[in-house]
Amino acid sequence: MFEIDPRSRKSIYEQVMDNLKDAIVMGQLPEGTKLPSVRELSKSISVNPNTVQKAYRELEQQGYIYSKTGLGSFVCPRSEIRAEGPELARAEEEMAEAFKTFLRLGMGFEESERKALEIFEIIKKESDEK
Amino acid sequence: MFEIDPRSRKSIYEQVMDNLKDAIVMGQLPEGTKLPSVRELSKSISVNPNTVQKAYRELEQQGYIYSKTGLGSFVCPRSEIRAEGPELARAEEEMAEAFKTFLRLGMGFEESERKALEIFEIIKKESDEK
Amino acid sequence: MFEIDPRSRKSIYEQVMDNLKDAIVMGQLPEGTKLPSVRELSKSISVNPNTVQKAYRELEQQGYIYSKTGLGSFVCPRSEIRAEGPELARAEEEMAEAFKTFLRLGMGFEESERKALEIFEIIKKESDEK
Amino acid sequence: MFEIDPRSRKSIYEQVMDNLKDAIVMGQLPEGTKLPSVRELSKSISVNPNTVQKAYRELEQQGYIYSKTGLGSFVCPRSEIRAEGPELARAEEEMAEAFKTFLRLGMGFEESERKALEIFEIIKKESDEK
DNA sequence: GTGGTCTAGACCACT
DNA sequence: GTGGTCTAGACCACC
């Protein structure tokens, strides 16, 4: 399905979560789709099952998937994704910090904003290709 | 000088670094200014001296300050800040991740970009006030 | 007869049991009524026969139904339902936990009790409609 | 601090969570209080550190505590407890199920409600004693 | 010392 | 087979 980068700053379970989130919000895994089982996925990406389990558990808490013992894990309707309150606040702070990081490198307002928009465009293009 | 937020997700030494970086790039600590000693600063913000020490060491490595043994630490000319290479790459990735986080919450391209620009404006205003 | 919610936190065999219990205590399945066979029911609600089997077995143990080999399963007289002993104790503990859950969300005594009574009223109305 | 009941239907990490939640909402652990470290608590209740860790992590996600590497875990202001949305909905469903369980034991509306109120009173008294 | 992550391997209930 | 929990023991960054 995807690959884990052991050199990434992101922890493994976060990489798993983000990869699945991406596939869900981009519609590659539509509502109701059955995800690979914990054991399957852990094998295919060469990661301990507990680590995948942790990712699935957290995805469930955040409303992306639901799990049924004995049956597997399934994609929730997109409307159930918790995109409010603390989750949104944290995302906004992450964005604010990213901008401040630019400023701390000595970049000015305009340059920082221009660079950010460039990055956004690249991501949009990458997303559309998939 | 500034305050540490014990609740922040950022580690304490990062908060110290970022606060000093902010003061430097915004000109509140112009080139050549002497920074408070590790002991002084650690007292005034109620933080372990080892933690402040680590922040100073990192700031020196990144070209924000230099230290003269026995005399203290001083602000480098802004031109020496390395806004290239690994630091810039990491900053760009941070920005990319922040944008992806918006998308992962189910926000579309336009909405994400609009929200990002809103956040940028807020930061600009806050910076100008200081 | 009824529907299974694959998203429910309850396991499937519990859902089967509870639906049948509801029909029994509400008189929709009076004493002596013949239940659908395991195979029939499993087909009509699209559930594995083993799962329905397990539900029937448990219902028999708890005194809701009895089975005559070769003939099928039948509803017991309501007087045989054991509303005492372990089942009652567990039900009481379930209620206690539900109340404590309210308190753990930071709700006060009065608010928790008021909310509980509101919920009870809704259930009563729903039951009467059937 | 408290004890784990290995025979409880609740899992160990849930028992840990609920015990701490109780202490927090009842004011025994006021805002800002430092919790025992993961290792300390795991020793004192004879449970694997990973299990306590899991409880702490979930308490953090639910807004009861926050954790700082190297410092420990601390009680959040009560206002940050997430008592809305999915959390409240789940609590309400738990209460609804508890009531339905009474009905399924053959108890009538009045009897069920009376019993529930009795249980609530007992919990209130127990809480006040602590 | 602290919390956080990961692995390995076991057991359980449900389907 | 499935997800869920628990234990044991290791490693890391931070304070």
Side-chain angles (χ1 to χ4, degrees), chain A residues 24-53:
Chain A
I24 291 172
V25 300
M26 291 182 53
Q28 292 166 6
L29 295 176
E31 171 181 350
T33 309
K34 185 180 181 307
L35 295 178
S37 79
V38 171
R39 289 155 170 92
E40 264 178 11
L41 184 53
S42 75
K43 258 187 201 164
S44 83
I45 59 178
S46 303
V47 154
N48 188 289
N50 281 325
T51 305
V52 175
Q53 174 85 312

Side-chain angles (χ1 to χ4, degrees), chain C residues 89-101:
Chain C
R90 279 213 312 161
E92 289 173 343
E93 201 191 313
E94 189 185 353
M95 180 61 77
E97 279 303 317
F99 191 67
K100 286 183 191 167
T101 297

Side-chain angles (χ1 to χ4, degrees), chain D residues 75-117:
Chain D
V75 177
C76 287
R78 286 187 51 166
S79 63
E80 294 187 15
I81 298 175
R82 291 199 190 183
E84 306 143 21
E87 284 80 8
L88 180 57
R90 278 201 302 143
E92 289 173 343
E93 201 193 312
E94 189 185 354
M95 179 61 77
E97 278 304 314
F99 192 67
K100 287 183 191 167
T101 298
F102 277 169
L103 301 179
R104 285 178 192 130
L105 286 175
M107 294 165 56
F109 289 152
E110 291 80 18
E111 189 184 355
S112 297
E113 190 165 313
R114 189 168 43 72
K115 202 151 202 68
L117 291 174

